[in-house]
Amino acid sequence: MKRKGFGFSLPVTAVILVIGFIYFSTVFTFIDRWLSLASSPGIANAAAFTALALMCVYNYSIAVFRDPGRVPPNYMPDVEDPKSPVHEIKRKGGDLRYCQKCSLFKPPRAHHCRVCKRCVLRMDHHCIWINNCVGHTNYKVFFVFVVYAMTACVYSLVLLVGSLTVEPQDEDQEMGSYLRTIYVISGLVLVPLSIALGVLLGWHVYLSLQNKTTIEYHEGVRAMWLAEKGGQVYKHPYDIGAYENLTLILGPNILSWLCPTSKHIGSGLRFRTAFDSAPVSSGTKP
């Protein structure tokens, strides 16, 4: 996979600082105060949370640095290809989609990002928190990162609440003030962050089960309205069933769904659709 260039980003810096703060407060305050890092339960929880934090950082770094997918400079849609039944056209004029800014034809599900200033394959959205587009090649790692991040936040909240049940022993006033500050800041960070990540995860689970991107969801709302107005029934062309949709996005092996593997995604120039007569691997080159 290609890597994109990267410069300083305030949102990315903020995410890294929040991850670091949550990790150190969880391990060296909540776990140590509740279970003690010198005990077996304390060591086990510290090891589990450290592994979770490492997976968060690893998947986050891939989502940040991996190029979300570029349209090849020589790409040309073949309208006579029987294996490619879906050719997206412009809403007005009925022509094949062509990007005037990139001077390239757009493959199905590709869109131009005004921030990145180029077309992105299977673009979902531009995310300021990774300073990158979420697209064909990094959608899975973005999804997996959200899973690990939400799990880590909920885990940290449980440890925070558990540590509050411990009666303080031999804590001087200065240490007590320090701990109160840690708990207040942690609560103000973890509660809204857990809610936000939970909503975000739920949204992308919904999209994945229907094999839609965020852009396609909003386009589909309009298409459904127009279809109903004309007495027709709209069906998303890339929806081939909930489980099949998940395997196209997360991979055919369920054991690797939470790993940042992406060998199954293909080129991103065409995708299996509900109109295919035989199974075709996602992203098979035309």
Side-chain angles (χ1 to χ4, degrees), residues 98-111:
Y98 184 82
C99 182
Q100 298 292 341
K101 296 179 180 179
C102 296
S103 299
L104 293 171
F105 280 101
K106 294 181 183 179
R109 315 184 82 178
H111 294 273

Side-chain angles (χ1 to χ4, degrees), residues 140 246-252 256 261-266 281-283:
K140 180 186 174 180
L246 283 177
T247 59
L248 290 178
I249 294 170
L250 300 178
S256 67
T261 55
S262 57
K263 292 182 179 180
H264 63 284
I265 62 174
S281 175
S282 167

Side-chain angles (χ1 to χ4, degrees), residues 18-279:
V18 167
I19 291 175
F21 173 78
I22 292 174
Y23 175 76
F24 284 103
S25 62
T26 300
V27 173
F28 298 105
T29 300
F30 308 153
I31 295 178
D32 190 34
R33 194 162 184 260
W34 185 20
L35 303 170
S36 176
L37 289 175
S39 68
S40 296
I43 293 173
N45 277 274
F49 193 81
T50 298
L52 200 55
L54 288 174
M55 289 304 294
C56 279
V57 172
Y58 183 54
N59 282 277
Y60 181 72
S61 63
I62 295 176
V64 170
F65 289 108
R66 180 174 289 176
D67 192 299
R70 295 175 180 267
V71 180
N74 60 346
Y75 173 75
M76 179 68 67
D78 185 358
V79 295
E80 298 181 355
D81 182 7
K83 295 182 179 179
S84 185
V86 174
H87 293 283
E88 296 177 356
I89 60 176
K90 296 178 182 178
R91 292 178 181 176
K92 296 181 181 180
D95 298 326
L96 289 170
R97 296 189 310 142
Y98 184 82
C99 182
Q100 298 292 341
K101 296 179 180 179
C102 296
S103 299
L104 293 171
F105 280 101
K106 294 181 183 179
R109 315 184 82 178
H111 294 273
H112 187 87
C113 176
R114 290 176 294 179
V115 180
C116 296
K117 294 182 173 55
R118 65 182 178 86
C119 287
V120 176
L121 297 176
R122 195 187 180 276
M123 179 178 171
D124 187 272
H125 68 287
H126 184 89
C127 179
I128 64 169
W129 300 109
I130 64 171
N131 193 36
N132 196 8
C133 270
V134 177
H136 177 62
T137 65
N138 67 348
Y139 181 81
K140 180 186 174 180
V141 293
F142 173 80
F143 182 94
V144 173
F145 163 70
V146 175
V147 172
Y148 282 120
M150 192 203 71
T151 305
C153 285
V154 173
Y155 191 4
S156 181
L157 268 176
V158 171
L159 293 169
L160 183 155
V161 173
S163 66
L164 287 174
T165 63
V166 177
E167 291 293 333
Q169 296 179 356
D170 301 327
E171 286 184 358
D172 56 32
Q173 186 175 358
E174 185 177 347
M175 177 58 71
S177 176
Y178 166 78
L179 289 174
R180 280 193 296 273
T181 302
I182 292 294
Y183 278 102
V184 169
I185 295 176
S186 296
L188 291 175
V189 170
L190 287 171
V191 173
L193 192 56
S194 298
I195 295 172
L197 288 171
V199 171
L200 182 63
L201 178 60
W203 170 245
H204 281 284
V205 168
Y206 166 78
L207 290 177
S208 297
L209 289 172
Q210 299 195 29
N211 198 5
K212 291 181 180 179
T213 64
T214 299
I215 293 174
E216 289 170 348
Y217 169 81
H218 293 293
E219 290 179 342
V221 170
R222 183 177 184 276
M224 188 179 299
W225 177 78
L226 291 174
E228 290 178 353
K229 190 176 180 181
Q232 300 174 333
V233 177
Y234 172 78
K235 178 177 173 58
H236 182 56
Y238 301 104
D239 184 0
I240 58 176
Y243 181 75
E244 288 295 327
N245 291 338
L246 283 177
T247 59
L248 290 178
I249 294 170
L250 300 178
N253 185 356
I254 194 172
L255 298 178
S256 67
W257 280 8
L258 293 181
C259 299
T261 55
S262 57
K263 292 182 179 180
H264 63 284
I265 62 174
S267 68
L269 299 180
R270 71 162 300 231
F271 298 84
R272 183 178 168 189
T273 72
F275 306 109
D276 288 328
S277 57

